[in-house]
Amino acid sequence: MRRLAARFFELFLFGAAPLLLMGACLGDATAAGPHHSDFWTFWSAGRDVLHGRSPYPTLDSLPHAASRMFAPFVYPPVSAFAMVPLALLPYGVAKAIYLLLSVAAIAFALRLLGVRDWRCFGVVFACAPAYAAVGLGAVGPFLLLGVALAWRYRDHALAAGLAVAAVISAKLFLWPLWFWLVRTRRYRAAAFAAGLGVGAVLASWAAIGFAGFREYPTLLGRLTELVGPHGYSVYAFERSLGVGSVAAERSLYVFAFAALALVAVVVRDERRAFVAVIAVSLFATPILWPHYLVLLVVPIALVTTRLSPLWVAPVLLWVDAPAWSKGTVWTGSLLVLVAAIAAAAMWRRPAPLPRLRVKPLTGV
């Protein structure tokens, strides 16, 4: 009887409860208005490039202070062109498809990382980053999938290079992944990543007449000033302590290059180096929202593919789950948890990773 009760509790805790939570998430996201979703920004950008318009806001149109509804398109134009197929559809239909694809992307990423324990899937879908990423219609689930693909096919130069190029072109803060290719002497993959990434960005910008190209660095800097202090980044933490915007941003560059230099000198194992560059990416970005932390799934999966306390750790992020930190010093509490998860994933001895039963790609 006790065994049956324990089994029932396990099925509810890791199966039924996450399904109900994700179902509620999808329901709320579907019912939410356009301006309560990141997907509206992507869909609108896709519509813009479909009609030959620039998806970027002008510098003069930016507000003096950002609200929670402030979500301009500030990604490289590749993301806008990737949205064109969905931009051809009515917004409601496109959004429903995108939300379902987001859930599928998380599940597929776990499979690519060798996770077979169904309880791990339940824990991931029950954690705040996954809930926020799906609910907001953010790009996080697809970044997770791209990072998982880069690891799974790391020994195939073209596939790894394409995956790294895709995630960096979508979100620039993941640029340390390219360093990982170089650090592990995957020079052909690094060359593919650089060539494909730069080529795709320039080609997509050329398609809209290089609109916003010259102003893009200024646009990113202005966005950092507007919304960076309201996130959960080191930049936001520094700003909450009274550090100026320029000094806080420069400190991130110093940290990133110093951390990567340390990885190059000290970290020999490719798995630990991969975990390290993901951690550097999260700590070095001036804008860090909770849904970015869905990427923590990768370091955890590289340590163990079965349920363990490390898998449950991201659930603690519900303690500080609001999208905006409101510029308080409590931002540091989330960063400490992220650092603890990354450190545990780096230094724990990993279990052997099972190989997927898929046909290997042809090496390039």
Side-chain angles (χ1 to χ4, degrees):
M1 190 67 178
R2 288 182 179 178
R3 182 176 297 179
L4 182 62
R7 180 62 174 170
F8 179 81
F9 180 73
E10 182 182 56
L11 288 172
F12 174 78
L13 187 62
F14 298 106
L19 284 175
L20 290 172
L21 184 64
M22 192 51 59
C25 173
L26 292 172
D28 290 343
T30 302
H35 298 291
H36 290 80
S37 172
D38 282 8
F39 178 68
W40 169 259
T41 300
F42 295 120
W43 184 81
S44 299
R47 299 271 295 182
D48 285 335
V49 298
L50 185 62
H51 293 91
R53 300 189 298 263
S54 169
Y56 297 106
T58 62
L59 294 175
D60 293 339
S61 69
L62 297 179
H64 294 292
S67 68
R68 296 184 68 167
M69 299 296 105
F70 178 66
F73 183 83
V74 292
Y75 307 87
V78 175
S79 298
F81 280 92
M83 284 291 153
V84 166
L86 291 178
L88 293 169
L89 302 173
Y91 174 72
V93 175
K95 184 178 182 180
I97 294 173
Y98 186 83
L99 294 177
L100 292 175
L101 289 176
S102 297
V103 174
I106 295 175
F108 188 38
L110 288 168
R111 295 283 293 181
L112 285 169
L113 294 167
V115 179
R116 297 292 183 274
D117 191 332
W118 65 272
R119 297 170 299 178
C120 296
F121 286 76
V123 168
V124 169
F125 282 110
C127 72
Y131 184 96
V134 174
L136 289 172
V139 73
F142 302 99
L143 296 179
L144 172 62
L145 178 59
V147 174
L149 284 166
W151 173 259
R152 173 65 181 84
Y153 293 112
R154 60 194 180 278
D155 293 327
H156 300 275
L158 180 58
L162 181 59
V164 170
V167 296
I168 296 176
S169 297
K171 276 287 190 179
L172 296 176
F173 80 91
L174 286 169
W175 65 266
L177 288 174
W178 185 83
F179 168 84
W180 175 78
L181 292 175
V182 176
R183 172 64 186 86
T184 55
R185 299 184 179 181
R186 292 180 166 89
Y187 300 124
R188 294 174 68 188
F192 278 127
L196 292 170
V198 173
V201 169
L202 291 178
S204 58
W205 234 312
I208 56 173
F210 287 98
F213 182 78
R214 294 180 62 182
E215 298 84 6
Y216 191 65
T218 306
L219 178 64
L220 291 182
R222 182 65 180 137
L223 182 74
T224 297
E225 293 178 355
L226 285 171
V227 303
H230 301 289
Y232 286 84
S233 63
V234 174
Y235 173 90
F237 182 67
E238 290 184 274
R239 292 300 306 276
S240 71
L241 297 176
V243 179
S245 176
V246 174
E249 193 168 0
R250 287 177 178 174
S251 71
L252 296 182
Y253 301 141
V254 173
F255 162 79
F257 288 108
L260 292 178
L262 187 63
V263 171
V265 173
V266 175
V267 183
R268 304 292 181 184
D269 177 73
E270 66 173 10
R271 180 192 65 85
R272 289 189 170 99
F274 197 69
V275 172
V277 298
I278 292 174
V280 171
S281 298
L282 293 173
F283 274 88
T285 178
I287 301 174
L288 176 66
W289 303 120
H291 60 80
Y292 287 16
L293 302 182
V294 72
L295 292 171
L296 291 174
V297 167
V298 177
I300 295 172
L302 296 188
V303 173
T304 175
T305 56
R306 297 191 61 80
L307 185 67
S308 71
L310 195 57
W311 277 103
V312 181
V315 177
L316 297 175
L317 294 169
W318 278 110
V319 175
D320 201 1
W324 279 39
S325 68
K326 300 180 182 179
T328 66
V329 294
W330 288 107
T331 303
S333 62
L334 182 142
L335 294 173
V336 169
L337 181 59
V338 172
I341 292 173
M346 275 196 68
W347 301 118
R348 281 189 58 181
R349 185 183 297 276
L353 294 178
R355 292 291 180 180
L356 292 180
R357 294 180 181 177
V358 294
K359 185 178 180 180
L361 296 179
T362 302
V364 178

